[in-house]
PDB file of all heavy atoms in Angstrom:
ATOM      1  N   GLY A   1     -11.238  -6.204  10.145  1.00 97.00           N
ATOM      2  CA  GLY A   1      -9.842  -6.333  10.573  1.00 97.00           C
ATOM      3  C   GLY A   1      -8.941  -6.800   9.444  1.00 97.00           C
ATOM      4  O   GLY A   1      -7.872  -6.226   9.210  1.00 97.00           O
ATOM      5  N   TYR A   2      -9.368  -7.833   8.732  1.00 97.00           N
ATOM      6  CA  TYR A   2      -8.563  -8.339   7.617  1.00 97.00           C
ATOM      7  C   TYR A   2      -8.460  -7.294   6.511  1.00 97.00           C
ATOM      8  O   TYR A   2      -7.370  -7.071   5.955  1.00 97.00           O
ATOM      9  CB  TYR A   2      -9.157  -9.629   7.060  1.00 97.00           C
ATOM     10  CG  TYR A   2      -8.391 -10.160   5.871  1.00 97.00           C
ATOM     11  CD1 TYR A   2      -7.233 -10.905   6.045  1.00 97.00           C
ATOM     12  CD2 TYR A   2      -8.807  -9.883   4.566  1.00 97.00           C
ATOM     13  CE1 TYR A   2      -6.502 -11.373   4.959  1.00 97.00           C
ATOM     14  CE2 TYR A   2      -8.090 -10.345   3.480  1.00 97.00           C
ATOM     15  CZ  TYR A   2      -6.935 -11.087   3.679  1.00 97.00           C
ATOM     16  OH  TYR A   2      -6.214 -11.529   2.596  1.00 97.00           O
ATOM     17  N   ALA A   3      -9.570  -6.651   6.180  1.00 97.00           N
ATOM     18  CA  ALA A   3      -9.545  -5.627   5.132  1.00 97.00           C
ATOM     19  C   ALA A   3      -8.610  -4.484   5.514  1.00 97.00           C
ATOM     20  O   ALA A   3      -7.887  -3.946   4.655  1.00 97.00           O
ATOM     21  CB  ALA A   3     -10.960  -5.095   4.884  1.00 97.00           C
ATOM     22  N   THR A   4      -8.596  -4.118   6.786  1.00 98.00           N
ATOM     23  CA  THR A   4      -7.712  -3.042   7.245  1.00 98.00           C
ATOM     24  C   THR A   4      -6.255  -3.462   7.153  1.00 98.00           C
ATOM     25  O   THR A   4      -5.399  -2.691   6.694  1.00 98.00           O
ATOM     26  CB  THR A   4      -8.075  -2.639   8.680  1.00 98.00           C
ATOM     27  OG1 THR A   4      -9.443  -2.194   8.713  1.00 98.00           O
ATOM     28  CG2 THR A   4      -7.170  -1.532   9.192  1.00 98.00           C
ATOM     29  N   ALA A   5      -5.958  -4.668   7.579  1.00 98.00           N
ATOM     30  CA  ALA A   5      -4.586  -5.171   7.467  1.00 98.00           C
ATOM     31  C   ALA A   5      -4.137  -5.186   6.006  1.00 98.00           C
ATOM     32  O   ALA A   5      -3.006  -4.799   5.681  1.00 98.00           O
ATOM     33  CB  ALA A   5      -4.496  -6.572   8.066  1.00 98.00           C
ATOM     34  N   LYS A   6      -5.003  -5.605   5.126  1.00 98.00           N
ATOM     35  CA  LYS A   6      -4.677  -5.663   3.693  1.00 98.00           C
ATOM     36  C   LYS A   6      -4.399  -4.264   3.143  1.00 98.00           C
ATOM     37  O   LYS A   6      -3.446  -4.054   2.375  1.00 98.00           O
ATOM     38  CB  LYS A   6      -5.817  -6.319   2.923  1.00 98.00           C
ATOM     39  CG  LYS A   6      -5.566  -6.489   1.427  1.00 98.00           C
ATOM     40  CD  LYS A   6      -6.697  -7.306   0.805  1.00 98.00           C
ATOM     41  CE  LYS A   6      -6.441  -7.569  -0.683  1.00 98.00           C
ATOM     42  NZ  LYS A   6      -6.636  -6.359  -1.491  1.00 98.00           N
ATOM     43  N   ALA A   7      -5.224  -3.295   3.533  1.00 98.00           N
ATOM     44  CA  ALA A   7      -5.032  -1.931   3.041  1.00 98.00           C
ATOM     45  C   ALA A   7      -3.707  -1.353   3.520  1.00 98.00           C
ATOM     46  O   ALA A   7      -3.008  -0.675   2.747  1.00 98.00           O
ATOM     47  CB  ALA A   7      -6.200  -1.050   3.497  1.00 98.00           C
ATOM     48  N   PHE A   8      -3.338  -1.625   4.766  1.00 98.00           N
ATOM     49  CA  PHE A   8      -2.031  -1.161   5.249  1.00 98.00           C
ATOM     50  C   PHE A   8      -0.905  -1.886   4.527  1.00 98.00           C
ATOM     51  O   PHE A   8       0.117  -1.279   4.185  1.00 98.00           O
ATOM     52  CB  PHE A   8      -1.917  -1.371   6.758  1.00 98.00           C
ATOM     53  CG  PHE A   8      -2.476  -0.262   7.589  1.00 98.00           C
ATOM     54  CD1 PHE A   8      -3.635  -0.444   8.342  1.00 98.00           C
ATOM     55  CD2 PHE A   8      -1.835   0.968   7.653  1.00 98.00           C
ATOM     56  CE1 PHE A   8      -4.149   0.580   9.119  1.00 98.00           C
ATOM     57  CE2 PHE A   8      -2.344   2.003   8.431  1.00 98.00           C
ATOM     58  CZ  PHE A   8      -3.508   1.814   9.162  1.00 98.00           C
ATOM     59  N   ALA A   9      -1.065  -3.191   4.295  1.00 98.00           N
ATOM     60  CA  ALA A   9      -0.038  -3.959   3.598  1.00 98.00           C
ATOM     61  C   ALA A   9       0.186  -3.413   2.194  1.00 98.00           C
ATOM     62  O   ALA A   9       1.327  -3.345   1.712  1.00 98.00           O
ATOM     63  CB  ALA A   9      -0.437  -5.436   3.542  1.00 98.00           C
ATOM     64  N   GLU A  10      -0.881  -3.010   1.540  1.00 98.00           N
ATOM     65  CA  GLU A  10      -0.759  -2.459   0.191  1.00 98.00           C
ATOM     66  C   GLU A  10      -0.025  -1.127   0.172  1.00 98.00           C
ATOM     67  O   GLU A  10       0.488  -0.714  -0.869  1.00 98.00           O
ATOM     68  CB  GLU A  10      -2.150  -2.315  -0.427  1.00 98.00           C
ATOM     69  CG  GLU A  10      -2.788  -3.659  -0.768  1.00 98.00           C
ATOM     70  CD  GLU A  10      -4.240  -3.562  -1.173  1.00 98.00           C
ATOM     71  OE1 GLU A  10      -4.870  -2.520  -0.889  1.00 98.00           O
ATOM     72  OE2 GLU A  10      -4.757  -4.536  -1.769  1.00 98.00           O
ATOM     73  N   GLU A  11       0.051  -0.478   1.336  1.00 98.00           N
ATOM     74  CA  GLU A  11       0.820   0.768   1.452  1.00 98.00           C
ATOM     75  C   GLU A  11       2.266   0.512   1.864  1.00 98.00           C
ATOM     76  O   GLU A  11       3.018   1.458   2.106  1.00 98.00           O
ATOM     77  CB  GLU A  11       0.149   1.705   2.456  1.00 98.00           C
ATOM     78  CG  GLU A  11      -1.202   2.234   2.007  1.00 98.00           C
ATOM     79  CD  GLU A  11      -1.107   3.113   0.766  1.00 98.00           C
ATOM     80  OE1 GLU A  11      -0.122   3.878   0.662  1.00 98.00           O
ATOM     81  OE2 GLU A  11      -2.017   3.029  -0.086  1.00 98.00           O
ATOM     82  N   GLY A  12       2.640  -0.774   1.963  1.00 97.00           N
ATOM     83  CA  GLY A  12       4.020  -1.108   2.289  1.00 97.00           C
ATOM     84  C   GLY A  12       4.303  -1.281   3.757  1.00 97.00           C
ATOM     85  O   GLY A  12       5.477  -1.376   4.159  1.00 97.00           O
ATOM     86  N   ALA A  13       3.258  -1.337   4.583  1.00 98.00           N
ATOM     87  CA  ALA A  13       3.464  -1.515   6.017  1.00 98.00           C
ATOM     88  C   ALA A  13       3.793  -2.971   6.343  1.00 98.00           C
ATOM     89  O   ALA A  13       3.514  -3.889   5.573  1.00 98.00           O
ATOM     90  CB  ALA A  13       2.216  -1.081   6.788  1.00 98.00           C
ATOM     91  N   ARG A  14       4.385  -3.170   7.509  1.00 98.00           N
ATOM     92  CA  ARG A  14       4.644  -4.510   8.053  1.00 98.00           C
ATOM     93  C   ARG A  14       3.498  -4.829   9.005  1.00 98.00           C
ATOM     94  O   ARG A  14       3.162  -4.017   9.877  1.00 98.00           O
ATOM     95  CB  ARG A  14       5.986  -4.517   8.790  1.00 98.00           C
ATOM     96  CG  ARG A  14       6.327  -5.834   9.469  1.00 98.00           C
ATOM     97  CD  ARG A  14       7.803  -5.853   9.862  1.00 98.00           C
ATOM     98  NE  ARG A  14       8.159  -4.812  10.803  1.00 98.00           N
ATOM     99  CZ  ARG A  14       8.199  -4.966  12.119  1.00 98.00           C
ATOM    100  NH1 ARG A  14       7.896  -6.145  12.658  1.00 98.00           N
ATOM    101  NH2 ARG A  14       8.549  -3.975  12.908  1.00 98.00           N
ATOM    102  N   ILE A  15       2.911  -6.001   8.867  1.00 98.00           N
ATOM    103  CA  ILE A  15       1.643  -6.298   9.532  1.00 98.00           C
ATOM    104  C   ILE A  15       1.787  -7.420  10.553  1.00 98.00           C
ATOM    105  O   ILE A  15       2.456  -8.423  10.301  1.00 98.00           O
ATOM    106  CB  ILE A  15       0.571  -6.714   8.506  1.00 98.00           C
ATOM    107  CG1 ILE A  15       0.493  -5.726   7.340  1.00 98.00           C
ATOM    108  CG2 ILE A  15      -0.780  -6.894   9.180  1.00 98.00           C
ATOM    109  CD1 ILE A  15       0.084  -4.327   7.726  1.00 98.00           C
ATOM    110  N   THR A  16       1.124  -7.254  11.703  1.00 98.00           N
ATOM    111  CA  THR A  16       0.911  -8.347  12.647  1.00 98.00           C
ATOM    112  C   THR A  16      -0.588  -8.521  12.837  1.00 98.00           C
ATOM    113  O   THR A  16      -1.285  -7.590  13.243  1.00 98.00           O
ATOM    114  CB  THR A  16       1.582  -8.078  14.010  1.00 98.00           C
ATOM    115  OG1 THR A  16       2.997  -7.962  13.829  1.00 98.00           O
ATOM    116  CG2 THR A  16       1.290  -9.209  14.984  1.00 98.00           C
ATOM    117  N   LEU A  17      -1.077  -9.719  12.501  1.00 98.00           N
ATOM    118  CA  LEU A  17      -2.488 -10.057  12.649  1.00 98.00           C
ATOM    119  C   LEU A  17      -2.723 -10.727  13.999  1.00 98.00           C
ATOM    120  O   LEU A  17      -1.933 -11.574  14.413  1.00 98.00           O
ATOM    121  CB  LEU A  17      -2.927 -11.023  11.553  1.00 98.00           C
ATOM    122  CG  LEU A  17      -2.612 -10.660  10.100  1.00 98.00           C
ATOM    123  CD1 LEU A  17      -3.008 -11.816   9.182  1.00 98.00           C
ATOM    124  CD2 LEU A  17      -3.319  -9.386   9.695  1.00 98.00           C
ATOM    125  N   VAL A  18      -3.816 -10.379  14.647  1.00 98.00           N
ATOM    126  CA  VAL A  18      -4.133 -10.964  15.953  1.00 98.00           C
ATOM    127  C   VAL A  18      -5.601 -11.385  15.977  1.00 98.00           C
ATOM    128  O   VAL A  18      -6.481 -10.627  15.570  1.00 98.00           O
ATOM    129  CB  VAL A  18      -3.871  -9.976  17.102  1.00 98.00           C
ATOM    130  CG1 VAL A  18      -4.127 -10.648  18.457  1.00 98.00           C
ATOM    131  CG2 VAL A  18      -2.459  -9.411  17.034  1.00 98.00           C
ATOM    132  N   SER A  19      -5.854 -12.607  16.429  1.00 97.00           N
ATOM    133  CA  SER A  19      -7.215 -13.063  16.741  1.00 97.00           C
ATOM    134  C   SER A  19      -7.083 -14.349  17.544  1.00 97.00           C
ATOM    135  O   SER A  19      -5.977 -14.743  17.935  1.00 97.00           O
ATOM    136  CB  SER A  19      -8.069 -13.257  15.485  1.00 97.00           C
ATOM    137  OG  SER A  19      -7.667 -14.409  14.774  1.00 97.00           O
ATOM    138  N   ARG A  20      -8.185 -15.026  17.773  1.00 96.00           N
ATOM    139  CA  ARG A  20      -8.162 -16.217  18.625  1.00 96.00           C
ATOM    140  C   ARG A  20      -7.558 -17.435  17.936  1.00 96.00           C
ATOM    141  O   ARG A  20      -6.791 -18.162  18.524  1.00 96.00           O
ATOM    142  CB  ARG A  20      -9.587 -16.575  19.063  1.00 96.00           C
ATOM    143  CG  ARG A  20     -10.121 -15.745  20.224  1.00 96.00           C
ATOM    144  CD  ARG A  20     -11.400 -16.394  20.752  1.00 96.00           C
ATOM    145  NE  ARG A  20     -11.912 -15.700  21.926  1.00 96.00           N
ATOM    146  CZ  ARG A  20     -12.918 -14.845  21.905  1.00 96.00           C
ATOM    147  NH1 ARG A  20     -13.507 -14.564  20.751  1.00 96.00           N
ATOM    148  NH2 ARG A  20     -13.345 -14.262  23.012  1.00 96.00           N
ATOM    149  N   ARG A  21      -7.925 -17.687  16.681  1.00 96.00           N
ATOM    150  CA  ARG A  21      -7.662 -18.983  16.040  1.00 96.00           C
ATOM    151  C   ARG A  21      -6.396 -18.950  15.192  1.00 96.00           C
ATOM    152  O   ARG A  21      -6.299 -18.225  14.205  1.00 96.00           O
ATOM    153  CB  ARG A  21      -8.859 -19.384  15.191  1.00 96.00           C
ATOM    154  CG  ARG A  21     -10.110 -19.669  15.993  1.00 96.00           C
ATOM    155  CD  ARG A  21     -11.303 -19.999  15.108  1.00 96.00           C
ATOM    156  NE  ARG A  21     -10.967 -21.052  14.153  1.00 96.00           N
ATOM    157  CZ  ARG A  21     -11.059 -20.908  12.849  1.00 96.00           C
ATOM    158  NH1 ARG A  21     -11.437 -19.754  12.306  1.00 96.00           N
ATOM    159  NH2 ARG A  21     -10.755 -21.913  12.034  1.00 96.00           N
ATOM    160  N   ALA A  22      -5.423 -19.774  15.572  1.00 97.00           N
ATOM    161  CA  ALA A  22      -4.148 -19.825  14.858  1.00 97.00           C
ATOM    162  C   ALA A  22      -4.326 -20.241  13.401  1.00 97.00           C
ATOM    163  O   ALA A  22      -3.675 -19.691  12.507  1.00 97.00           O
ATOM    164  CB  ALA A  22      -3.193 -20.781  15.573  1.00 97.00           C
ATOM    165  N   GLU A  23      -5.217 -21.205  13.156  1.00 97.00           N
ATOM    166  CA  GLU A  23      -5.398 -21.691  11.786  1.00 97.00           C
ATOM    167  C   GLU A  23      -5.906 -20.586  10.868  1.00 97.00           C
ATOM    168  O   GLU A  23      -5.428 -20.426   9.733  1.00 97.00           O
ATOM    169  CB  GLU A  23      -6.379 -22.868  11.759  1.00 97.00           C
ATOM    170  CG  GLU A  23      -5.957 -24.048  12.621  1.00 97.00           C
ATOM    171  CD  GLU A  23      -6.392 -23.905  14.079  1.00 97.00           C
ATOM    172  OE1 GLU A  23      -6.995 -22.850  14.428  1.00 97.00           O
ATOM    173  OE2 GLU A  23      -6.120 -24.823  14.871  1.00 97.00           O
ATOM    174  N   ALA A  24      -6.874 -19.832  11.349  1.00 97.00           N
ATOM    175  CA  ALA A  24      -7.425 -18.740  10.541  1.00 97.00           C
ATOM    176  C   ALA A  24      -6.382 -17.653  10.317  1.00 97.00           C
ATOM    177  O   ALA A  24      -6.299 -17.075   9.226  1.00 97.00           O
ATOM    178  CB  ALA A  24      -8.658 -18.159  11.223  1.00 97.00           C
ATOM    179  N   LEU A  25      -5.579 -17.376  11.325  1.00 98.00           N
ATOM    180  CA  LEU A  25      -4.540 -16.355  11.192  1.00 98.00           C
ATOM    181  C   LEU A  25      -3.468 -16.777  10.197  1.00 98.00           C
ATOM    182  O   LEU A  25      -3.018 -15.972   9.369  1.00 98.00           O
ATOM    183  CB  LEU A  25      -3.890 -16.095  12.549  1.00 98.00           C
ATOM    184  CG  LEU A  25      -4.711 -15.268  13.536  1.00 98.00           C
ATOM    185  CD1 LEU A  25      -4.087 -15.340  14.924  1.00 98.00           C
ATOM    186  CD2 LEU A  25      -4.818 -13.822  13.076  1.00 98.00           C
ATOM    187  N   GLU A  26      -3.062 -18.026  10.267  1.00 97.00           N
ATOM    188  CA  GLU A  26      -2.037 -18.522   9.347  1.00 97.00           C
ATOM    189  C   GLU A  26      -2.526 -18.425   7.905  1.00 97.00           C
ATOM    190  O   GLU A  26      -1.783 -18.020   7.004  1.00 97.00           O
ATOM    191  CB  GLU A  26      -1.669 -19.962   9.699  1.00 97.00           C
ATOM    192  CG  GLU A  26      -0.504 -20.505   8.899  1.00 97.00           C
ATOM    193  CD  GLU A  26      -0.045 -21.864   9.395  1.00 97.00           C
ATOM    194  OE1 GLU A  26      -0.820 -22.537  10.100  1.00 97.00           O
ATOM    195  OE2 GLU A  26       1.099 -22.246   9.071  1.00 97.00           O
ATOM    196  N   GLU A  27      -3.787 -18.792   7.691  1.00 97.00           N
ATOM    197  CA  GLU A  27      -4.349 -18.728   6.342  1.00 97.00           C
ATOM    198  C   GLU A  27      -4.459 -17.276   5.867  1.00 97.00           C
ATOM    199  O   GLU A  27      -4.124 -16.950   4.720  1.00 97.00           O
ATOM    200  CB  GLU A  27      -5.724 -19.393   6.337  1.00 97.00           C
ATOM    201  CG  GLU A  27      -6.304 -19.644   4.949  1.00 97.00           C
ATOM    202  CD  GLU A  27      -7.076 -18.455   4.416  1.00 97.00           C
ATOM    203  OE1 GLU A  27      -7.583 -17.647   5.236  1.00 97.00           O
ATOM    204  OE2 GLU A  27      -7.161 -18.305   3.184  1.00 97.00           O
ATOM    205  N   ALA A  28      -4.913 -16.382   6.754  1.00 97.00           N
ATOM    206  CA  ALA A  28      -5.045 -14.970   6.393  1.00 97.00           C
ATOM    207  C   ALA A  28      -3.682 -14.346   6.100  1.00 97.00           C
ATOM    208  O   ALA A  28      -3.532 -13.576   5.147  1.00 97.00           O
ATOM    209  CB  ALA A  28      -5.744 -14.208   7.520  1.00 97.00           C
ATOM    210  N   ALA A  29      -2.687 -14.686   6.916  1.00 97.00           N
ATOM    211  CA  ALA A  29      -1.338 -14.152   6.700  1.00 97.00           C
ATOM    212  C   ALA A  29      -0.780 -14.611   5.360  1.00 97.00           C
ATOM    213  O   ALA A  29      -0.143 -13.840   4.630  1.00 97.00           O
ATOM    214  CB  ALA A  29      -0.416 -14.584   7.835  1.00 97.00           C
ATOM    215  N   GLY A  30      -1.037 -15.868   5.006  1.00 97.00           N
ATOM    216  CA  GLY A  30      -0.578 -16.373   3.719  1.00 97.00           C
ATOM    217  C   GLY A  30      -1.210 -15.644   2.558  1.00 97.00           C
ATOM    218  O   GLY A  30      -0.537 -15.297   1.575  1.00 97.00           O
ATOM    219  N   ARG A  31      -2.513 -15.377   2.663  1.00 97.00           N
ATOM    220  CA  ARG A  31      -3.201 -14.648   1.594  1.00 97.00           C
ATOM    221  C   ARG A  31      -2.655 -13.226   1.458  1.00 97.00           C
ATOM    222  O   ARG A  31      -2.454 -12.731   0.348  1.00 97.00           O
ATOM    223  CB  ARG A  31      -4.705 -14.587   1.883  1.00 97.00           C
ATOM    224  CG  ARG A  31      -5.464 -15.802   1.400  1.00 97.00           C
ATOM    225  CD  ARG A  31      -6.956 -15.574   1.496  1.00 97.00           C
ATOM    226  NE  ARG A  31      -7.415 -15.608   2.873  1.00 97.00           N
ATOM    227  CZ  ARG A  31      -8.229 -14.706   3.415  1.00 97.00           C
ATOM    228  NH1 ARG A  31      -8.666 -13.683   2.711  1.00 97.00           N
ATOM    229  NH2 ARG A  31      -8.621 -14.828   4.675  1.00 97.00           N
ATOM    230  N   LEU A  32      -2.412 -12.588   2.587  1.00 97.00           N
ATOM    231  CA  LEU A  32      -1.887 -11.220   2.542  1.00 97.00           C
ATOM    232  C   LEU A  32      -0.484 -11.178   1.942  1.00 97.00           C
ATOM    233  O   LEU A  32      -0.177 -10.305   1.117  1.00 97.00           O
ATOM    234  CB  LEU A  32      -1.852 -10.617   3.950  1.00 97.00           C
ATOM    235  CG  LEU A  32      -3.136 -10.003   4.489  1.00 97.00           C
ATOM    236  CD1 LEU A  32      -2.870  -9.358   5.846  1.00 97.00           C
ATOM    237  CD2 LEU A  32      -3.699  -8.982   3.529  1.00 97.00           C
ATOM    238  N   THR A  33       0.352 -12.089   2.361  1.00 97.00           N
ATOM    239  CA  THR A  33       1.717 -12.103   1.854  1.00 97.00           C
ATOM    240  C   THR A  33       1.750 -12.332   0.344  1.00 97.00           C
ATOM    241  O   THR A  33       2.443 -11.625  -0.400  1.00 97.00           O
ATOM    242  CB  THR A  33       2.551 -13.185   2.562  1.00 97.00           C
ATOM    243  OG1 THR A  33       2.575 -12.914   3.970  1.00 97.00           O
ATOM    244  CG2 THR A  33       3.975 -13.204   2.038  1.00 97.00           C
ATOM    245  N   SER A  34       0.974 -13.315  -0.107  1.00 97.00           N
ATOM    246  CA  SER A  34       0.978 -13.623  -1.538  1.00 97.00           C
ATOM    247  C   SER A  34       0.317 -12.521  -2.347  1.00 97.00           C
ATOM    248  O   SER A  34       0.692 -12.270  -3.490  1.00 97.00           O
ATOM    249  CB  SER A  34       0.282 -14.959  -1.799  1.00 97.00           C
ATOM    250  OG  SER A  34      -1.077 -14.896  -1.396  1.00 97.00           O
ATOM    251  N   GLY A  35      -0.660 -11.852  -1.764  1.00 95.00           N
ATOM    252  CA  GLY A  35      -1.388 -10.830  -2.503  1.00 95.00           C
ATOM    253  C   GLY A  35      -0.737  -9.470  -2.525  1.00 95.00           C
ATOM    254  O   GLY A  35      -0.971  -8.685  -3.450  1.00 95.00           O
ATOM    255  N   THR A  36       0.068  -9.164  -1.505  1.00 97.00           N
ATOM    256  CA  THR A  36       0.650  -7.818  -1.403  1.00 97.00           C
ATOM    257  C   THR A  36       2.170  -7.802  -1.382  1.00 97.00           C
ATOM    258  O   THR A  36       2.772  -6.748  -1.595  1.00 97.00           O
ATOM    259  CB  THR A  36       0.153  -7.114  -0.122  1.00 97.00           C
ATOM    260  OG1 THR A  36       0.697  -7.782   1.036  1.00 97.00           O
ATOM    261  CG2 THR A  36      -1.369  -7.128  -0.040  1.00 97.00           C
ATOM    262  N   GLY A  37       2.777  -8.938  -1.059  1.00 96.00           N
ATOM    263  CA  GLY A  37       4.228  -8.975  -0.915  1.00 96.00           C
ATOM    264  C   GLY A  37       4.715  -8.402   0.399  1.00 96.00           C
ATOM    265  O   GLY A  37       5.928  -8.296   0.630  1.00 96.00           O
ATOM    266  N   ALA A  38       3.792  -8.049   1.288  1.00 97.00           N
ATOM    267  CA  ALA A  38       4.171  -7.446   2.566  1.00 97.00           C
ATOM    268  C   ALA A  38       4.705  -8.496   3.535  1.00 97.00           C
ATOM    269  O   ALA A  38       4.442  -9.696   3.397  1.00 97.00           O
ATOM    270  CB  ALA A  38       2.971  -6.746   3.189  1.00 97.00           C
ATOM    271  N   GLU A  39       5.427  -8.020   4.535  1.00 97.00           N
ATOM    272  CA  GLU A  39       5.865  -8.869   5.638  1.00 97.00           C
ATOM    273  C   GLU A  39       4.707  -8.978   6.625  1.00 97.00           C
ATOM    274  O   GLU A  39       4.264  -7.969   7.182  1.00 97.00           O
ATOM    275  CB  GLU A  39       7.090  -8.268   6.317  1.00 97.00           C
ATOM    276  CG  GLU A  39       7.620  -9.090   7.479  1.00 97.00           C
ATOM    277  CD  GLU A  39       8.793  -8.425   8.180  1.00 97.00           C
ATOM    278  OE1 GLU A  39       9.372  -7.476   7.617  1.00 97.00           O
ATOM    279  OE2 GLU A  39       9.109  -8.856   9.319  1.00 97.00           O
ATOM    280  N   VAL A  40       4.205 -10.198   6.817  1.00 98.00           N
ATOM    281  CA  VAL A  40       3.014 -10.399   7.644  1.00 98.00           C
ATOM    282  C   VAL A  40       3.285 -11.480   8.683  1.00 98.00           C
ATOM    283  O   VAL A  40       3.654 -12.604   8.345  1.00 98.00           O
ATOM    284  CB  VAL A  40       1.790 -10.807   6.793  1.00 98.00           C
ATOM    285  CG1 VAL A  40       0.548 -10.949   7.677  1.00 98.00           C
ATOM    286  CG2 VAL A  40       1.540  -9.796   5.681  1.00 98.00           C
ATOM    287  N   GLY A  41       3.106 -11.131   9.943  1.00 98.00           N
ATOM    288  CA  GLY A  41       3.191 -12.098  11.028  1.00 98.00           C
ATOM    289  C   GLY A  41       1.852 -12.204  11.728  1.00 98.00           C
ATOM    290  O   GLY A  41       0.910 -11.478  11.415  1.00 98.00           O
ATOM    291  N   TRP A  42       1.760 -13.117  12.679  1.00 98.00           N
ATOM    292  CA  TRP A  42       0.495 -13.271  13.381  1.00 98.00           C
ATOM    293  C   TRP A  42       0.723 -13.761  14.803  1.00 98.00           C
ATOM    294  O   TRP A  42       1.772 -14.297  15.132  1.00 98.00           O
ATOM    295  CB  TRP A  42      -0.453 -14.204  12.634  1.00 98.00           C
ATOM    296  CG  TRP A  42       0.083 -15.581  12.325  1.00 98.00           C
ATOM    297  CD1 TRP A  42       0.776 -15.968  11.218  1.00 98.00           C
ATOM    298  CD2 TRP A  42      -0.027 -16.748  13.145  1.00 98.00           C
ATOM    299  NE1 TRP A  42       1.095 -17.298  11.282  1.00 98.00           N
ATOM    300  CE2 TRP A  42       0.607 -17.810  12.455  1.00 98.00           C
ATOM    301  CE3 TRP A  42      -0.610 -17.011  14.383  1.00 98.00           C
ATOM    302  CZ2 TRP A  42       0.678 -19.100  12.977  1.00 98.00           C
ATOM    303  CZ3 TRP A  42      -0.538 -18.292  14.912  1.00 98.00           C
ATOM    304  CH2 TRP A  42       0.093 -19.313  14.197  1.00 98.00           C
ATOM    305  N   HIS A  43      -0.307 -13.546  15.625  1.00 98.00           N
ATOM    306  CA  HIS A  43      -0.248 -13.947  17.033  1.00 98.00           C
ATOM    307  C   HIS A  43      -1.649 -14.358  17.456  1.00 98.00           C
ATOM    308  O   HIS A  43      -2.602 -13.578  17.325  1.00 98.00           O
ATOM    309  CB  HIS A  43       0.240 -12.775  17.887  1.00 98.00           C
ATOM    310  CG  HIS A  43       0.299 -13.079  19.357  1.00 98.00           C
ATOM    311  ND1 HIS A  43       1.427 -13.577  19.979  1.00 98.00           N
ATOM    312  CD2 HIS A  43      -0.649 -12.948  20.328  1.00 98.00           C
ATOM    313  CE1 HIS A  43       1.187 -13.737  21.266  1.00 98.00           C
ATOM    314  NE2 HIS A  43      -0.067 -13.366  21.503  1.00 98.00           N
TER     315      HIS A  43
END
């Protein structure tokens, strides 16, 4: 899931990440944003 979100982000897509744990999502969203410059949200 994370690898797929990253690949879409690298293509310039806007991403929403979804899973159970807010802490893990916040950390993953931060990594994606800093690594790709994409707009990344989470739920």
Side-chain angles (χ1 to χ4, degrees):
Y2 178 82
T4 301
K6 182 173 183 287
F8 274 111
E10 289 171 343
E11 293 296 322
R14 177 166 61 95
I15 310 297
T16 298
L17 309 174
V18 184
S19 73
R20 280 192 176 101
R21 294 177 52 238
E23 302 85 358
L25 285 168
E26 187 172 19
E27 192 273 334
R31 275 190 287 133
L32 277 185
T33 300
S34 62
T36 68
E39 180 183 346
V40 183
W42 56 271
H43 178 91

